[in-house]
Amino acid sequence: MEKTFVFGVSVEGDNFTDRTQETKRIRSNFENGVNTILISPRRIGKTSLVKKVCSSITEPSIKTIYMDIYDCRNEYDFYTRFATSVLQGTSSRIEHALESAKEFSISLGIKPKDIEPETILSLPEKIARKKRAHIVICIDEFQQIGEFPDSLTVQKRLRGSWQHQQSTSYCLFGSKKHMMENIFQSRRMPFYMFGDTLYLKPIPTREWIPFIQSRFASKGKFIAAELAEKICSTVDNHSSYVQQLAWNVLLQTESNATEQNLKDAVKELLNQCSSLFTQQTESLSSYQMNFLKAVCSGIHSGFGHKEVTDRFDLGSKSNIARIQKSLTDKELIDKIDGRTVIADPVLRLWLTSQYL
Ligand SMILES: Nc1ncnc2c1ncn2[C@@H]1O[C@H](COP(=O)(O)OP(=O)(O)OP(=O)(O)O)[C@@H](O)[C@H]1O
Ligand SMILES: [Mg+2]
């Protein structure tokens, strides 16, 4: 059965809505050899977007290669993933990949002792030149690089090699916004100014409304535009949650969706997320919890003011700075236009329902 609303996995085809501007910009980068860096909060749609752009490129001289490095723990894991993805992505069959491996003196199942990082890193460029093609390498969960032992040296090595390549470009993206920013936005870091940086914004409500309405219609049900709009605003237009909440509403709806259906659907969403949120918050100190409560109560700046520290028991100024740093590192809070917010809109609803 075709799913009416899809969440939790990357989406394609009819399940993919909007993103016309972003698709155009990234595709133009791919076609013109411009490196791309894609940053957004979790589950907004980075993977879906990059896969869509890759599949939309029909020009035979441009080859796109997608790899996910979420499980790479060190640079050698990375080189193995990199080499196999490049060889498989540029050869039409496995045997060809093995032949290319020999030709380019690469051994698959790379071991730390026989690794030549430079040989591996320059592989796409060599293949691209030989095939007179342009290769675009898309690396998902790129922030993993920041966790590697001796990460800075690895980053220097990658950048050093990649920046000289003429026939290969890169699209780097990942689900941990804060770590991605650390890699790409600090002047001191090797990947600073590596390419065109896109902040992927939520899909606008005007795009979601017809999408949600048509999905309801496909099941013989109706949802008014105002209610579809409320689905979006309840979860701050967060892509994955819009789909999940719309699905919950659809399940509640007899024929015409009602306000009550939405209320029940939100309750259900909180239930569905509850164990994850419990896990994410149970090890927090009481100061850290107090800080989250302050943000949920509508405080977004000026945490050091006496009224705020007294009301929420946040401790000294230096304590507050520590709390903010550790909650940011855990990706629980985020700073948008100078305002501190709970990074996950449903976590915010859940905290509010639990503690306020
Ligand atoms: N263009 C889109 N149209 C409709 N729904 C979308 C779109 N992009 C994302 N979504 C919704 O968001 C969910 C997550 O998408 P995706 O996995 O692409 O996001 P991501 O940003 O890569 O997530 P993560 O941060 O976990 O890596 C999808 O399952 C889908 O429900
Ligand atoms: Mg992703």
Side-chain angles (χ1 to χ4, degrees):
M1 191 190 76
E2 202 214 324
K3 286 193 193 140
T4 323
F5 291 103
V6 178
F7 46 91
V9 289
S10 61
V11 288
E12 56 183 330
D14 285 349
N15 293 315
F16 189 93
T17 177
D18 188 52
R19 299 289 190 219
T20 341
Q21 291 302 323
E22 295 93 336
T23 306
K24 219 166 124 188
R25 176 156 158 201
I26 300 176
R27 191 169 50 221
S28 145
N29 285 352
F30 283 15
E31 287 167 352
N32 293 293
V34 176
N35 294 324
T36 307
I37 294 136
L38 192 57
I39 297 181
S40 87
R42 291 225 58 185
R43 296 279 150 89
I44 284 285
K46 298 168 291 290
T47 303
S48 305
L49 176 60
V50 172
K51 285 187 171 171
K52 176 174 176 201
V53 175
C54 289
S55 66
S56 78
I57 289 185
T58 46
E59 171 62 52
S61 66
I62 301 175
K63 287 229 165 300
T64 58
I65 294 172
Y66 170 91
M67 67 186 84
D68 187 338
I69 61 161
Y70 76 100
D71 57 347
C72 293
R73 295 281 165 261
N74 54 51
E75 68 177 311
Y76 301 105
D77 287 352
F78 174 77
Y79 296 137
T80 310
R81 177 71 37 85
F82 189 83
T84 30
S85 307
V86 169
L87 290 171
Q88 283 169 4
T90 50
S91 316
S92 41
R93 282 180 290 128
I94 292 290
E95 299 92 273
H96 281 154
L98 293 173
E99 276 165 32
S100 307
K102 267 193 224 133
E103 186 182 343
F104 291 102
S105 314
I106 297 287
S107 83
L108 298 175
I110 297 153
K111 295 198 188 63
K113 63 175 172 43
D114 51 41
I115 195 99
E116 262 302 337
E118 186 46 41
T119 314
I120 305 265
L121 293 173
S122 59
L123 182 64
E125 181 71 3
K126 283 188 194 146
I127 296 179
R129 289 197 179 172
K130 182 153 185 250
K131 297 196 179 223
R132 293 182 200 286
H134 183 84
I135 295 181
V136 184
I137 300 201
C138 306
I139 309 184
D140 204 344
E141 305 298 349
F142 188 76
Q143 78 280 339
Q144 232 9 76
I145 300 268
E147 307 264 35
F148 290 175
D150 203 5
S151 171
L152 201 58
T153 312
V154 181
Q155 289 178 45
K156 277 187 194 148
R157 192 170 282 152
L158 303 191
R159 168 130 201 188
S161 171
W162 291 350
Q163 72 188 353
H164 299 301
Q165 301 181 353
Q166 304 286 321
S167 306
T168 313
S169 56
Y170 294 84
C171 173
L172 309 174
F173 54 111
S175 59
K176 303 222 167 131
K177 179 166 175 264
H178 171 61
M179 288 177 63
M180 288 291 286
E181 286 170 345
N182 282 348
I183 295 175
F184 291 102
Q185 296 200 314
S186 161
R187 269 171 210 282
R188 288 172 289 117
M189 298 296 277
F191 274 99
Y192 181 67
M193 305 263 281
F194 182 65
D196 178 30
T197 305
L198 255 94
Y199 272 88
L200 195 57
K201 297 221 172 65
I203 295 167
T205 308
R206 62 168 192 282
E207 304 286 346
W208 276 122
I209 293 175
F211 179 84
I212 296 171
Q213 286 189 309
S214 71
R215 291 307 157 107
F216 271 67
S218 76
K219 292 286 166 204
K221 297 182 185 186
F222 174 80
I223 182 164
E226 299 75 48
L227 209 57
E229 190 177 339
K230 271 194 190 164
I231 291 181
C232 300
S233 61
T234 306
V235 295
D236 296 352
N237 286 39
H238 197 105
S239 310
S240 183
Y241 285 136
V242 170
Q243 294 238 28
Q244 190 171 358
L245 184 55
W247 172 242
N248 287 356
V249 175
L250 182 74
L251 291 180
Q252 302 277 346
T253 302
E254 292 272 347
S255 56
N256 278 10
T258 62
E259 290 277 348
Q260 189 58 44
N261 292 148
L262 175 60
K263 270 196 192 138
D264 294 340
V266 172
K267 222 184 256 170
E268 184 56 25
L269 178 64
L270 293 177
N271 278 338
Q272 288 159 344
C273 298
S274 181
S275 63
L276 175 68
F277 293 156
T278 307
Q279 192 194 336
Q280 283 177 343
T281 52
E282 66 193 353
S283 61
L284 298 181
S285 70
S286 50
Y287 278 133
Q288 290 169 335
M289 280 308 285
N290 291 348
F291 190 92
L292 294 182
K293 287 177 203 170
V295 179
C296 288
S297 310
I299 293 163
H300 301 289
S301 60
F303 293 93
H305 290 162
K306 191 168 170 352
E307 318 84 76
V308 180
T309 38
D310 287 354
R311 180 169 157 213
F312 292 98
D313 186 20
L314 300 178
S316 65
K317 282 219 165 81
S318 60
N319 193 43
I320 293 172
R322 263 199 307 277
I323 301 171
Q324 270 178 307
K325 180 169 185 317
S326 69
L327 292 176
T328 307
D329 288 344
K330 290 178 200 289
E331 312 265 336
L332 289 172
I333 59 170
D334 191 6
K335 215 169 207 175
I336 297 174
D337 301 330
R339 295 170 80 247
T340 299
V341 296
I342 307 282
D344 182 322
V346 179
L347 174 63
R348 188 194 67 227
L349 293 176
W350 183 80
L351 287 166
T352 309
S353 74
Q354 298 277 303
Y355 298 105
L356 299 174

